[in-house]
Amino acid sequence: MTGLRERLAFKRPSGFGRSAAENSVLAEMRKGSDQSGHGSSPPGGQRDSTLKIAIVDESPVRAAILEDGLREAGFLQVERIAEHRNLLARIYALDPDVILIDLESPSRDMLEQMFQMSRAVKRPVAMFVDQSDRASIQAAVDAGVSAYIVGGLRKERITSILDLCISRFNAFSRLQAELDRAKDALDERKVIDRAKGVLMKAKKLSEEEAYALLRKTAMNENKKIVDIAQSVLTASELFK
Amino acid sequence: MSADKLRIGFIPLVDAAALIVAVDCGFAATENLDIDLVREVSWSNVRDKLNIGLFDAAHMLSPVAIASSLGIGHVRVPVIVPFNLCLNGNAVTVSPKLYSSLQGLADGNLADPVVSARAMARLVEERKKSNAEPLTFGMTFPFSNHNYQLRFWMAAGGIDPDEDVRLVVLPPPYMVESLTSGHVDGFCVGAPWNSVAVDSGVGRILHFGCELMARASEKVLAVREPWANENRDVLAALIRALSAAAAYVEDKNNLAIVSETVAKRIGVSADLVVRSLTGNLKIAPEGAIRADNRYMLIGGSGVNRPDPVQAAWLYAQMVRWGQAILTDELYAVAQSAFRPDLYDAALGLAPPPDKGTPHDGIGAFVGPKFDPAAIASHLDAWRIRRPGRPHLSVVH
């Protein structure tokens, strides 16, 4: 693996686009005839709209957020794969440069097969080869995203994609948390409404009076209104 | 004194029994260990989280520990094995359709792997002639006994597992569904998934792993070597807790409590766990039973002490199938990943004077006895192997 490490550590003066010659080097590498996967690195490094990215994620919302983020950042060839069936065949057909996969997906092990030598399949290179890269691995693991790089890509470009994915994943988690809170709030409303109904019927109260009673009881007992409402519902079930 | 906190990753499988029982039945607490057992969904996750230190230790496929130490397939991280969690426990399950095709081609009892491998080879030949799709088999990971056992068995019948059939990695929870949908024709997986396939009526267990190899290191406790060096006392306490738990699991008087405890952690019925632990498996949907007390060994004589012969065998499989090259250096690394010295020291044991049966430590169903000191000549005995060596001799 030392060859690859050296390659990943390769530094290039910034501010240069990729030349035609460099493009052909990259194309050559994408053909993947290099069985060891340790070919020489393309010296390019600008964000590359031709980079083909596959997102393997069973959560369509999160995959969409990731895809949008990648497109906004100028990555135009982004494909989503939501199904684990024939995953490898689909990936081979798509032939992506980068695969992003949710860490919570058992399908992740299927991708490991691509790292095996095989005459039919080009041998991809794992991104997390450079052991000095622990911080970014850690961040990816924490965010629940794992990236596999097919072919030889420069670390800087991968890092930018990964950073973007991590921030998108975190944004998704925040969104999910907000949705959960909103759902909880809605559920609470329903419980309180039903408890009001029980009280209105049993004690012949108006809606306002029923709510006032719940609120007063909650204050007296130092509990949340929804907890009192739940107790009312439980009790009314018992009295049925 | 406050307890030592450990985070240990595991995959919900019966062969994590010693680890689960150590945590849930108080053996870890007795050693003053506070273990957070973290359920994972993929071996890649377990490996990566161990590698980067999110886990202190992990329930791991034995070959993955060796592959990590060798730096093949992924990052090289020196991972060592101070405790063997399970010997054996896999089975090869096939669809009822494949089973009846094999029956039609068998020249003897299909329960004999020599017979079934030959029948498979005939079927593969027939399918080639009729231009049918190659048979597809699921296994759990490139570095796994599931992969190696399928290959070893098929190759014994004359099948080249890379050319004549398709082997695909499938996460265990997807195995049964894939067999049902016809995506695979069979698979090799650990417990309880073979039994789940039989119970759902979509699979028939053809062979137990122990019928192919009498003793195969299946799952190990893996730790990073630097961590082991920095936490010698904690590791010794963990080995003692696991050893006590493994003995408890092996004592059939505890079968009910052990099965319930394990079933709860892995999310299946206790009955499935009982079958796996006792080696009494329903092998066919209509109810036939096969019993083998070597089916899955969690504790007992020589089970938990890491055996460098097992490490050498697994390395030999990696070489045979083109995952690793054969060098003295890699051989030494693979063997020294298994650390019986740490096991002996933690338990205050002297190294055992003699090896158990079978005396080559592996007991494969065909082929020459395995000599860890002569991997090259051992591999030369096999006609079918990956690096494409000249055909030297045939062993059937």
Side-chain angles (χ1 to χ4, degrees), chain B residues 169-223:
Chain B
V169 169
L170 277 179
Y174 295 170
M175 288 281 180
V176 177
E177 172 200 325
S178 299
L179 193 62
T180 311
S181 68
H183 180 53
V184 297
D185 302 288
F187 53 67
C188 184
V189 71
W193 299 104
N194 296 286
S195 295
V196 172
V198 171
D199 283 0
S200 344
V202 298
R204 183 177 170 117
I205 296 177
L206 188 59
H207 296 300
F208 294 173
C210 62
E211 295 161 9
L212 306 176
M213 280 122 213
R215 283 169 91 80
S217 171
E218 174 55 35
K219 300 288 166 22
V220 292
L221 180 85
V223 296

Side-chain angles (χ1 to χ4, degrees), chain A residues 5 14 31-32 39 41 57 68 78-79 102 109 112 128 130 132 136 147 149 163 167 174 185 188 210 239:
Chain A
R5 284 182 69 179
S14 58
K31 274 188 222 153
S41 172
D57 197 334
D68 288 351
V78 183
E79 292 267 353
D102 170 21
D109 279 349
E112 292 287 317
F128 301 140
D130 193 328
S132 65
S136 69
I149 314 307
D163 287 348
S167 72
R174 279 195 301 275
E188 287 183 9
F239 282 119

Side-chain angles (χ1 to χ4, degrees), chain B residues 246-383:
Chain B
Y248 187 81
V249 171
E250 206 54 28
D251 183 345
K252 294 302 172 234
N253 293 320
N254 305 319
L255 188 60
I257 176 80
V258 165
S259 302
E260 273 168 38
T261 306
V262 173
K264 209 165 159 190
R265 279 276 185 180
I266 68 177
V268 297
S269 78
D271 165 59
L272 284 177
V273 179
V274 169
R275 283 193 238 166
S276 309
L277 288 177
T278 56
N280 264 293
L281 270 71
K282 195 166 114 179
I283 59 165
E286 60 272 21
I289 303 277
R290 188 180 297 171
D292 192 324
N293 57 16
R294 304 166 306 168
Y295 172 69
M296 176 182 275
L297 301 171
I298 301 290
S301 174
V303 171
N304 301 128
R305 187 175 192 268
D307 182 356
V309 174
Q310 291 285 342
W313 166 261
L314 291 169
Y315 172 57
Q317 305 314 299
M318 293 172 188
V319 174
R320 181 175 181 189
W321 303 116
Q323 291 178 328
I325 52 166
L326 184 59
T327 69
D328 290 344
E329 193 197 340
L330 292 183
Y331 168 71
V333 171
Q335 268 213 323
S336 56
F338 276 41
R339 296 287 299 274
D341 57 312
L342 294 176
Y343 175 87
D344 291 339
L347 296 170
L349 300 170
D354 193 19
K355 281 175 191 156
T357 51
H359 75 261
D360 72 347
I362 305 294
F365 77 98
V366 284
K369 284 206 160 56
F370 178 65
D371 178 359
I375 289 182
S377 60
H378 178 82
L379 290 177
D380 284 343
W382 302 107
R383 181 173 60 86

